[in-house]
Amino acid sequence: QVQLVESGGGSVQAGGSLRLSCTASGNRLSSYCMGWFRQAPGKEREGVAVVDSHGSTSYADSVKGRFTISKDNAKNTLALQMNSLKPEDTAMYYCAAVLFWACSGGYSAIRSPLYRGQGTQVTVTS
């Protein structure tokens, strides 16, 4: 079992930055592929980024070059640094975990998580 708690969301103007954090309790993050997905009202869930147990990362094309995912296995935390934010990045962001092998196909695997947090809202205004 893994419990995930996100923080760091908020409202920011386009072009600004936010850093999301996720603290995990329970099993060690090193046992899982970790990542973030987001969902805006009326839209499908979208995988954003993942980092696997080896530290390899994968990003959605829509965020590549702007977002950076990182993991600290010692502290059992996950982060998402979001720069150059756009209004289309507005959504509820969820920290999530899948089994360590599930990310072999890339970031989309995080859309169907084994565990997920409650989410944190990110709003980008133009």
Side-chain angles (χ1 to χ4, degrees):
Q1 279 279 16
V2 176
Q3 293 78 42
L4 303 169
V5 179
E6 304 95 337
S7 62
S11 182
V12 65
Q13 287 190 330
S17 298
L18 284 172
R19 183 177 178 85
L20 306 184
S21 297
C22 175
T23 301
S25 59
N27 290 345
R28 303 295 295 180
L29 292 188
S30 56
S31 301
Y32 301 93
C33 177
M34 302 296 299
W36 298 85
F37 69 87
R38 64 189 182 186
Q39 190 159 21
K43 294 188 177 181
E44 290 188 1
R45 184 178 293 183
E46 178 185 18
V48 175
V50 295
V51 53
D52 69 14
S53 57
H54 301 290
S56 296
T57 58
S58 175
Y59 297 91
D61 288 344
S62 58
V63 307
K64 199 172 294 183
R66 300 188 296 122
F67 290 12
T68 303
I69 189 170
S70 59
K71 182 174 68 166
D72 188 328
N73 287 332
K75 296 182 179 179
N76 242 25
T77 58
L78 183 74
L80 185 70
Q81 178 65 42
M82 306 185 295
N83 298 329
S84 302
L85 283 161
K86 304 176 180 180
E88 51 263 44
D89 294 318
T90 295
M92 186 73 79
Y93 283 70
Y94 297 86
C95 173
V98 294
L99 293 174
F100 69 92
W101 48 262
C103 288
S104 60
Y107 63 89
S108 60
I110 207 68
R111 292 181 301 174
S112 300
L114 190 61
Y115 304 108
R116 54 173 262 189
Q118 293 299 307
T120 186
Q121 178 67 38
V122 171
T123 302
V124 185
T125 57
S126 57

